[in-house]
Amino acid sequence: MEVTDYINNIKDTQRRKDCQLLIGMMKKISNEKPKIWRNSIVGFGSYHYKYESGLEGDWLLTGFSSRTQNISIYIVAGFDKYEELLSKLGKHKTGKSCLYVKQLSDLNLEVLENLIVQSYQYCYRKYK
């Protein structure tokens, strides 16, 4: 699937606009073209991982996915280092490395961009 097809298949107009904004933001941050990962994630950049167990693969440095309930934004570095930014971000929930938001209008977009920049740079230095 192409990124354009993925975005065009998002039925909710506002969600589609939010995802287009994220593409622009992440493209600027990563200087990478977006690509589809696992049929439903728009990702930017990549790194190779290998666990002690022998499991290995490739994963994105940053990205997002439009899910039924929210937009999942991948903050691959996790959130331990970013408590101050998260306190200024706006309405969101977090998982291990996912930021869950209903819509971008609930967020301070400057803080979101800063969060993505810091996570991307950290992961780029660590994994590249």
Side-chain angles (χ1 to χ4, degrees):
M1 176 181 288
E2 295 293 322
V3 173
T4 306
D5 297 331
Y6 176 78
I7 297 299
N8 288 339
N9 283 328
I10 298 171
K11 292 181 175 135
D12 182 89
T13 304
Q14 187 56 53
R15 174 72 60 87
R16 195 168 44 254
K17 287 179 184 178
D18 285 351
C19 290
Q20 289 167 332
L21 191 148
L22 284 171
I23 286 174
M25 183 185 291
M26 291 178 175
K27 226 173 165 177
K28 181 179 106 180
I29 290 166
S30 68
N31 202 28
E32 299 269 358
K33 291 181 180 178
K35 82 174 206 180
I36 297 293
W37 293 72
R38 298 184 182 169
N39 296 319
S40 64
I41 300 170
V42 178
F44 297 80
S46 67
Y47 69 96
H48 188 77
Y49 62 86
K50 185 173 184 177
Y51 297 123
E52 288 181 20
S53 66
L55 178 66
E56 64 181 297
D58 296 306
W59 192 237
L60 51 94
L61 288 170
T62 194
F64 68 90
S65 182
S66 177
R67 305 291 187 191
T68 304
Q69 296 296 317
N70 51 48
I71 300 172
S72 299
I73 301 171
Y74 292 87
I75 306 296
V76 177
F79 298 103
D80 294 342
K81 304 169 198 50
Y82 308 117
E83 289 179 24
E84 185 178 338
L85 285 172
L86 290 173
S87 71
K88 299 174 185 175
L89 182 60
K91 190 175 177 180
H92 70 279
K93 293 181 182 179
T94 60
K96 185 174 180 179
S97 62
C98 282
L99 180 70
Y100 302 107
V101 301
K102 292 278 186 198
Q103 54 196 17
L104 294 185
S105 62
D106 290 338
L107 305 179
N108 178 323
L109 293 181
E110 287 180 33
V111 174
L112 176 63
E113 185 169 356
N114 193 357
L115 178 63
I116 295 169
V117 164
Q118 288 189 38
S119 172
Y120 182 87
Q121 289 175 347
Y122 172 83
C123 292
Y124 188 87
R125 286 189 305 271
K126 182 175 179 177
Y127 299 118
K128 287 293 197 171

